[in-house]
Amino acid sequence: MAEIHDATLSPTKLELVGPWMARQRWYAAKGRLPVLRKLWSWRLDDPAGQVGIETLIVVDEGGPQPVVYQVPLTYRGAPLEGGQQAFVGTMEHSVLGPRWVYDGPHDPVYAAQLLALVLEQAIPQAGSESDTVEPDVVPRRHPSWTTETALRSSKVLSGEQSNTSIVFDCTDSDGAAKPLICKVFRMLQSGENPDVTVQGALSEAGSSRVPTMVGTVSAAWPAVTGGDEPSRGHLAFAQEFFPGTEDAWRVALRAVGAHEDFAEPARQLGAATAEVHKRLAEILPTEAVSAEAIATVAAGMRARYVAAASEVPALAAYEHRIADVVDRAVNASWPALQRIHGDYHLGQVLKVDGRGWVLLDFEGEPLRPLSERMLPDLAVRDIAGMLRSFDYAAGSWEQSHPGGSARDWAESAQRAFLDGYAAESGRDPRADAALLIAFQLDKALYEVVYEARNRPTWLTIPTAAVVRLLDDARKDLT
């Protein structure tokens, strides 16, 4: 059981964590130091009794809105071999002496105990009282995971922006490889994370189009504002992992670069997408669309046009045509709202031997409030996102081959995707042309803002798409 010493620390944990946190990719406020306040903490035990394991829940109050972060740490009496990239700093503990502090997910002791917790084989401990179980941390092994699991090693997946994922090299009771991956959420919001609830529901329903869920860790932590009800949400979740697989973005880029037709893979991806949408509508609640919901979606589309035009003033020439596309969508027939992926593109899909296309990351757009990402939406939003992703694959090739065109490749892939979706779902998305064009246009306007602010050399991809989609609207909606 974790022993908590009555000790002084120099520097304090928050003084140590702040400057380190500012350098992390998952820290949302770039270019400034966080202003941290500790809300709460909890611990895990090291079975060997050598490493302290603590997860801090802190709030950054240095920006216009407070943001809550999860910061797992390990405390060691000597440096962790090979742990330099995860090194947070050193502090002097008045009882234990010098302590080397590391980012928990990179420490094999933390990783092993987190997996044990997910599998309900470890007991969370209070962060401020020795030998005390922490009831506000709740692990749940998912009912779809029945495999006996033994851990051999772990490593952190590189390149993630918003969270931290740990890859576990595991075996089952027969010694067969059973690799797993556990996502540790960094930015915390109150409410159920759709990456857990949506994917978990599909996994429990036996869908082969998502990784099998292994388990989750959720918690209740003090609200940012004193007197409010505690916040409750997910801290981490684990699922099966597919090493050596490629995402659809890489597969598509290789195809466009080799001038290979992508129609058949795109058709299969369309069918897989429709299969997932159909299953989600069966196992999770749907709701009839309301005038209020339509107005909210339309307001978002108009706001994205305003933001895009402020970045690229030339778009103002298309203001009336864009408004007409939105108005036509508002007046169209809308299907029921349902749970969807929410941030769907080629990078969110894996090509897995024996299973075909497997969908990942149902978290939705990470920068949207969790309360919005939990709501039912239109399936056409996912369809539009994937159509735009095919355009981006073609545009990426064109960026590196000035004067070349991959337009025929993109349009062939887009048609095949819609054909596959229609065959599986029983309804062709092109039958709802007003909605399909409006949601693609909305996505392209979102991309305009992103590229203008982050990658201006790619700005021609979404701006050209805006013009193309408006021309399509003129043909298809008249």
Side-chain angles (χ1 to χ4, degrees):
M1 303 287 269
E3 181 180 0
I4 312 298
H5 296 280
D6 183 13
T8 57
L9 303 174
S10 180
T12 67
K13 294 171 185 175
L14 295 187
E15 289 171 344
L16 195 66
V17 164
W20 168 82
M21 189 168 153
R23 301 191 299 271
Q24 305 312 302
R25 298 182 73 178
W26 44 262
Y27 178 59
K30 308 300 183 188
R32 69 164 176 82
L33 288 175
V35 179
L36 299 181
R37 175 167 60 90
K38 178 182 172 182
L39 295 177
W40 182 61
S41 71
W42 60 281
R43 292 178 176 260
L44 288 166
D45 286 332
D46 171 16
Q50 298 298 310
V51 178
I53 306 171
E54 182 179 29
T55 294
L56 302 181
I57 307 298
V58 299
V59 57
D60 176 18
E61 299 176 307
Q65 297 292 330
V67 180
V68 177
Y69 291 92
Q70 176 180 202
V71 185
L73 300 172
T74 59
Y75 310 115
R76 289 175 167 266
L80 171 64
E81 185 177 352
Q84 188 58 39
Q85 73 179 82
F87 182 58
V88 178
T90 56
M91 62 185 182
E92 189 67 26
H93 190 289
S94 62
V95 176
L96 301 176
R99 305 295 282 170
W100 281 259
V101 183
Y102 292 91
D103 183 24
H106 293 264
D107 192 314
V109 175
Y110 168 85
Q113 292 311 296
L114 177 63
L115 179 59
L117 182 65
V118 167
L119 295 172
E120 300 183 7
Q121 296 169 353
I123 300 174
Q125 302 292 308
S128 58
E129 192 171 350
S130 298
D131 302 331
T132 302
V133 173
E134 178 51 77
D136 285 329
V137 175
V138 181
R140 178 179 180 265
R141 183 174 181 144
H142 199 269
S144 63
W145 188 256
T146 58
T147 305
E148 290 299 319
T149 308
L151 176 63
R152 293 192 294 200
S153 64
S154 65
K155 66 176 182 179
V156 169
L157 195 66
S158 61
E160 270 199 296
Q161 296 278 1
S162 305
N163 302 296
T164 302
S165 289
I166 308 169
V167 176
F168 296 105
D169 177 12
C170 296
T171 58
D172 63 15
S173 56
D174 296 324
K178 289 290 181 181
L180 308 177
I181 187 168
C182 183
K183 180 183 289 187
V184 178
F185 296 114
R186 290 298 192 164
M187 239 187 302
L188 301 182
Q189 299 181 55
S190 189
E192 293 190 330
N193 193 296
D195 210 3
V196 177
T197 55
V198 176
Q199 189 172 321
L202 287 166
S203 180
E204 192 164 357
S207 174
S208 64
R209 294 299 183 184
V210 295
T212 302
M213 186 77 82
V214 176
T216 63
V217 180
S218 58
W221 59 90
V224 171
T225 303
D228 287 354
E229 287 292 313
S231 298
R232 299 178 185 275
H234 290 107
L235 303 182
F237 87 102
Q239 61 188 2
E240 67 175 322
F241 181 61
F242 305 106
T245 56
E246 287 186 305
D247 62 35
W249 173 257
R250 294 176 185 272
V251 177
L253 283 184
R254 190 165 58 248
V256 70
H259 306 289
E260 294 175 355
D261 182 67
F262 202 66
E264 182 56 25
R267 186 195 65 76
Q268 294 173 2
L269 180 55
T273 305
E275 180 185 328
V276 168
H277 282 164
K278 187 161 56 176
R279 184 61 68 89
L280 285 173
E282 293 168 352
I283 62 178
L284 292 174
T286 62
E287 61 182 57
V289 70
S290 65
E292 181 183 6
I294 294 174
T296 299
V297 171
M301 290 179 172
R302 295 182 180 111
R304 275 180 283 281
Y305 160 70
V306 171
S310 71
E311 298 290 343
V312 182
L315 289 176
Y318 301 99
E319 179 174 356
H320 294 299
R321 292 174 65 186
I322 291 171
D324 184 58
V325 168
V326 176
D327 289 343
R328 286 173 181 266
V330 167
N331 294 317
S333 175
W334 288 47
L337 303 179
Q338 64 164 89
R339 299 303 291 269
I340 64 170
H341 185 282
D343 188 24
Y344 199 44
H345 53 78
L346 289 165
Q348 306 282 41
V349 186
L350 294 180
K351 185 179 183 182
V352 179
D353 288 344
R355 282 172 66 166
W357 295 116
V358 174
L359 283 60
L360 305 173
D361 295 335
F362 285 75
E363 193 175 357
E365 292 181 11
L367 296 182
R368 289 178 64 199
L370 187 59
S371 58
E372 292 181 12
R373 291 185 275 134
M374 293 167 58
L375 297 175
D377 203 342
L378 284 178
V380 71
R381 188 182 299 278
D382 283 349
I383 298 169
M386 190 57 71
L387 295 177
R388 293 294 311 126
S389 198
F390 286 124
D391 186 54
Y392 254 80
S396 173
W397 180 86
E398 292 170 346
Q399 286 289 315
S400 57
H401 296 81
S405 174
R407 179 61 19 219
D408 289 345
W409 182 95
E411 291 177 356
S412 171
Q414 289 171 330
R415 284 194 302 272
F417 177 84
L418 292 170
D419 289 343
Y421 192 98
E424 178 66 29
S425 70
R427 181 170 178 81
D428 193 329
R430 287 163 291 204
D432 302 307
L435 292 176
L436 184 62
I437 290 175
F439 276 85
Q440 288 180 83
L441 181 61
D442 182 51
K443 184 68 172 179
L445 291 170
Y446 171 89
E447 293 159 358
V448 166
V449 175
Y450 177 86
E451 301 298 3
R453 295 176 179 175
N454 297 281
R455 197 168 46 179
T457 58
W458 284 47
L459 190 53
T460 54
I461 298 176
T463 54
V466 168
V467 176
R468 257 194 328 272
L469 287 163
L470 290 173
D471 288 343
D472 290 344
R474 192 174 264 169
K475 291 180 292 186
D476 295 346
L477 302 179
T478 55

